[in-house]
Amino acid sequence: MKHWRIEQMDWDAFDASKVDPSIVSLIKSASVVERNARDYTEYLVHVFAGDQGFIDAAQNWAEEEVQHGDALGKWAMLADPSWNYEEAFKRYRDTYRIDVDVDASIRGSRTGEMIARCMVETGTSSFYTSLADATDEPVLKAVCKQIAADEYRHFKLFYDCMHRYLKREKLGRWARLRIALSRVLESEDDELATAYHITNEPADMPYDHKRCISAYMSRALGFYQRKHLGRVVAMVLKTAGMTPHSRLQRFISDAAYHLIKWRQKTFARHLKTAS
Ligand SMILES: [Fe+2]
Ligand SMILES: [Fe+2]
């Protein structure tokens, strides 16, 4: 069951004068990644074969993710009427595919898989919250708030499921933290960089990972405020089984905030030299 529908949003309230072009490029990239969620369900169906309760939940999850893509795609076409979401998604599918034909999680266990999914939802819920806080465009603000709420519910879905598997697989806190952090680092891999390339660059321009991830990250990381990082760190610690609200969490949040700002500047520098 979806918690909201695209048709419920007040699309007539769209205000072109309040559109920030750097957000448009991020929204275009995010739209095709979100729409691609059905591939991940296929992967999860293989990994969680026999767990019908989770498979049903994962199928509902994918429909919500696809709706995120469709809502963001619709908004991006209002912001840039020359852009075509369906056509961009088709090109993205032709370029980027995940390997769904597996019989076990690439994270080593079902618990590990759930930890990785928790990290993806941590990333998306903080990303859309930061965009909702940054934009003055009323439709995008409302859409990002709805999506961020969905992403947090998804985090809880995977977190609860992780606990079911933890009882059997017994992964220690450091092992959980290691899987969580390795998934966080994967955000700099090809998925987002390719999405940026397909949705923002000319079709005849060759793909260059460093240029594209720099273009995406230099913009995306710029919207994160200290409070968003505080929430990210609390969710990472919670997933690893550590106390989410503590002096340690505040210390790590401060460090993470400075790290993110430093990374943002590094990506911006890479982008300048690449273009
Ligand atoms: Fe999503
Ligand atoms: Fe999600």
Side-chain angles (χ1 to χ4, degrees):
M1 184 203 71
K2 289 177 190 163
H3 290 82
W4 59 283
R5 292 192 175 272
I6 290 177
E7 316 79 75
Q8 289 168 352
M9 306 308 292
D10 183 10
W11 295 96
D12 292 338
F14 176 75
D15 184 345
S17 70
K18 292 188 171 148
V19 170
D20 172 348
S22 67
I23 290 188
V24 179
S25 63
L26 295 177
I27 297 296
K28 287 177 180 174
S29 312
S31 71
V32 296
V33 175
E34 294 273 1
R35 171 81 176 259
N36 211 22
R38 287 196 186 109
D39 267 7
Y40 283 94
T41 321
E42 214 179 314
Y43 165 82
L44 291 172
V45 164
H46 286 130
V47 172
F48 288 88
D51 184 346
Q52 196 53 44
F54 175 73
I55 289 172
D56 291 345
Q59 264 146 2
N60 185 59
W61 161 81
E63 293 316 304
E64 292 192 348
E65 300 293 12
V66 169
Q67 175 167 276
H68 297 170
D70 292 349
L72 296 171
K74 185 177 166 89
W75 184 86
M77 285 196 288
L78 289 177
D80 176 3
S82 70
W83 189 71
N84 186 313
Y85 165 61
E86 294 291 340
E87 190 268 336
F89 178 67
K90 196 180 162 304
R91 285 201 296 129
Y92 183 61
R93 287 276 297 162
D94 292 343
T95 312
Y96 182 83
R97 294 265 177 151
I98 64 158
D99 184 10
V100 298
D101 200 12
V102 295
D103 49 22
S105 169
I106 56 168
R107 312 289 162 186
S109 65
R110 288 184 172 187
T111 305
E113 185 59 44
M114 288 296 106
I115 293 168
R117 299 316 312 169
C118 283
M119 288 306 98
V120 173
E121 304 297 344
T122 298
T124 53
S125 70
S126 62
F127 173 66
Y128 293 113
T129 304
S130 73
L131 291 185
D133 288 345
T135 186
D136 290 325
E137 199 299 302
V139 180
L140 184 63
K141 195 182 255 311
V143 166
C144 285
K145 280 185 182 173
Q146 292 284 12
I147 296 179
D150 281 350
E151 309 295 22
Y152 191 67
R153 275 190 291 271
H154 296 162
F155 172 84
K156 287 205 280 192
L157 164 74
F158 295 127
Y159 179 81
D160 290 344
C161 185
M162 174 190 79
H163 272 283
R164 271 202 298 121
Y165 281 101
L166 254 183
K167 283 179 194 146
R168 289 180 231 170
E169 297 178 335
K170 306 221 186 300
L171 232 59
R173 284 178 186 162
W174 291 108
R176 286 154 72 181
L177 189 62
R178 190 176 45 75
I179 295 171
L181 293 179
S182 72
R183 182 58 189 85
V184 170
L185 291 175
E186 280 174 29
S187 57
E188 293 179 16
D189 288 356
D190 277 328
E191 185 178 41
L192 286 168
T194 308
Y196 182 88
H197 169 65
I198 295 289
T199 58
N200 288 283
E201 297 188 328
D204 57 354
M205 191 170 182
Y207 172 64
D208 178 276
H209 174 78
K210 199 167 176 183
R211 182 188 69 235
C212 295
I213 199 63
S214 299
Y216 182 88
M217 288 295 181
S218 61
R219 292 172 176 93
L221 298 181
F223 292 111
Y224 276 79
Q225 300 172 31
R226 208 173 274 262
K227 63 179 180 183
H228 305 128
L229 265 304
R231 199 171 148 102
V232 166
V233 170
M235 289 164 85
V236 173
L237 292 178
K238 192 175 154 82
T239 305
M242 297 168 176
T243 314
H245 300 288
S246 61
R247 215 185 279 174
L248 177 68
Q249 183 249 342
R250 284 190 292 279
F251 174 77
I252 299 174
S253 299
D254 274 352
Y257 177 74
H258 290 298
L259 180 68
I260 288 279
K261 292 300 154 188
W262 172 75
R263 288 299 285 153
Q264 192 266 331
K265 283 189 193 129
T266 308
F267 282 124
R269 259 202 319 275
H270 281 326
L271 184 60
K272 240 183 185 171
T273 50
S275 43

